[in-house]
Amino acid sequence: MSVPSNPDEHLLASHGYRQELDRGLSLWSSFSVGFATISPVVGIYSVMSLGAISVGPSWVWIVPLCLLLQLSVALVYAELSSQFPLAGGCYQWVRRLVGDRLAWFTGFLYLAAALASLTTVAYLGGFWLGLLLFDAPPSANAQVACGAALLALGLGVNLLGINPLKYFVNAGIFAEAIASIGIGVLLLLFFRNHSFDLLFSSLGAESASDGSYVSGLLTAMAVCGWAFLGFDACSQLSEETTDARVSTPRAILRSMLVVGLTVMLTAFAVTLSFKDPGAVVSGQIIDPVTPAVTDAFGAWAERPFVAIVLIAFIACVVSVQTYIGRAIFGMARDGILPASALLRKVDGRKVPMAAMVCSTLLASLGLGLGLNATAVGTLIAFGSGGFFFVFLIVTASALYARLSGRWDPAKGALQLGRKGLAINGFAVCWLLFEAINVAWPRELLAPPGAPWFQVWAVVVVFSALALFGLAYLLLAKPHRRIASSLSFAGRAVD
């Protein structure tokens, strides 16, 4: 191994790795990837209708609540990334906090959830691409084809290297700023059609939850969780970020806060400006955002608005592909994935090309589910639920290591001090609740007449994947392939 030339490479070498990726991301660039991955446009436009159906216009208050709760998770992730800024993120952290077996299992579940998320974002973005191309909502086949085109475009951008990627993601942030912040402010200030009293009304939405407002509230919380996933993307890019011990945790927290505030603005603005909120609550209107924009600015604004939203979706696809590729690379270099020798290779542009191609192909296979509307609901549910289960494993591992003395958080660049234990414990409680809440079978979130496995989507899919992962772990023993010098099982971590 060559002699490290800077503090980032020296830290990487202390963990047993050499610098293979291009360390060309600044704090702003890392934040940009996190922002584009969480994506206020993708998040809010995907959950607004479901939130309104659950508890009516009052669903908007779930947004700041979920932001506050999820921020506790982001703080734990920021603390871990400041001490272990490594590609592989949660896999690397759990390996150091608990051991190799649980680390492999966590990484496996993380990749499954992330690939489901990539497929979902591409499929949802395919709707906007089809709308722009055909000037009408696309058919099921056309939407799947458009989603595949977005995946191919994202792969092409990623294979160009980290520097072109930065500029592409920045364009996505500009689009996000227009579609979320700019339009949100204008709608709120000049095109409100309702008083703020509407935000405290359910408009009878509880009838869809057997007359229980609390039941609808829990459903809205489960749905709203989708809007606050992806902040961990910054940690996957740690080995490409300069001064990663400081920049990565800052990028995690800033992206979460900025996206959260943007989602709140958009949720309030669209809810108050949409002329017929009752139609949204009843499920007659699936996309309340576009009508709100065209009613406010005129029919001419529809196509430019669709184009702006599409750019935001493309940037999200690109960012999700980026961090999945790094997650695969981070695990493959330890030899614990099938075809690890290929997946860990880095090309001349310092891009893990095989890992990128592999993630794109797997996500493309999932797009075939888009031909069946009920199957897409299963994919979306697992993408959200899978992440919350992984978050729970990571934060519980951190709490265990904290209490047992296996981990000293004071050695990281970000130090939460005495508050760290309380925040960590709070995060575990929140994630335990939300993981169960997301997995809870709800007919409200399934299409009418959906089969039972659609309603039990998260439980069925997650259980099947967990059993497969455990069987592979017991039979193939991938954790034994980690070099003994890199194994942290059974000893304290620095």
Side-chain angles (χ1 to χ4, degrees), residues 53-250:
I53 290 173
S54 302
V55 287
S58 62
W59 85 274
V60 298
W61 300 108
I62 300 296
V63 177
L65 176 61
C66 281
L67 172 61
L68 178 64
L69 294 169
Q70 195 68 352
L71 188 59
S72 66
V73 184
L75 282 167
V76 176
Y77 267 61
E79 196 173 32
L80 287 166
S81 68
S82 75
Q83 194 166 352
F84 311 115
L86 302 168
C90 59
Y91 154 73
Q92 297 282 5
W93 302 338
V94 173
R95 186 155 63 85
R96 286 157 175 76
L97 297 172
V98 178
D100 300 337
R101 290 182 179 85
L102 184 59
W104 183 90
F105 185 72
T106 304
F108 166 74
L109 292 182
Y110 180 80
L111 290 180
L115 287 168
S117 176
L118 176 56
T119 300
T120 303
V121 173
Y123 178 78
L124 296 175
F127 170 83
W128 295 92
L129 176 58
L131 193 60
L132 185 66
L133 294 177
F134 310 122
D135 203 21
S139 65
N141 289 347
Q143 186 168 347
V144 169
C146 288
L150 293 183
L151 287 175
L153 175 61
L155 177 62
V157 172
N158 269 288
L159 294 183
L160 292 176
I162 201 67
N163 286 318
L165 172 71
K166 291 189 294 187
Y167 300 116
F168 202 90
V169 172
N170 285 339
I173 286 186
F174 182 71
E176 296 264 12
I178 296 175
S180 296
I181 301 175
I183 291 177
V185 169
L186 292 175
L187 289 177
L188 200 58
L189 294 180
F190 303 108
F191 300 102
R192 268 196 305 120
N193 290 308
H194 307 279
S195 69
F196 285 95
D197 292 340
L198 179 69
L199 303 180
F200 299 92
S201 170
S202 68
L203 297 183
E206 59 269 20
S207 62
S209 303
D210 298 325
S212 172
Y213 184 83
V214 174
S215 178
L217 188 70
L218 293 175
T219 301
M221 289 188 69
V223 170
C224 196
W226 171 260
F228 296 105
L229 301 177
F231 60 87
D232 53 312
C234 304
S235 66
Q236 299 291 354
L237 299 175
S238 292
E239 292 182 28
E240 293 161 275
T241 305
T242 55
D243 194 16
R245 296 178 74 246
V246 174
S247 297
T248 298
R250 288 181 178 177

Side-chain angles (χ1 to χ4, degrees), residues 293-356:
V293 172
T294 54
D295 288 343
F297 301 103
W300 67 269
E302 181 173 356
R303 287 185 67 81
F305 176 72
V306 170
I308 290 172
V309 173
L310 176 60
I311 292 173
F313 266 91
I314 293 173
C316 185
V317 169
V318 171
S319 299
V320 175
Q321 281 177 310
T322 302
Y323 84 76
I324 293 177
R326 274 53 179 186
I328 292 175
F329 165 80
M331 295 179 67
R333 67 180 169 186
D334 285 350
I336 60 174
L337 294 178
S340 286
L342 176 63
L343 294 174
R344 65 162 296 163
K345 286 186 176 179
V346 176
D347 64 13
R349 294 186 178 88
K350 296 188 176 182
V351 174
M353 183 177 66
M356 298 301 307

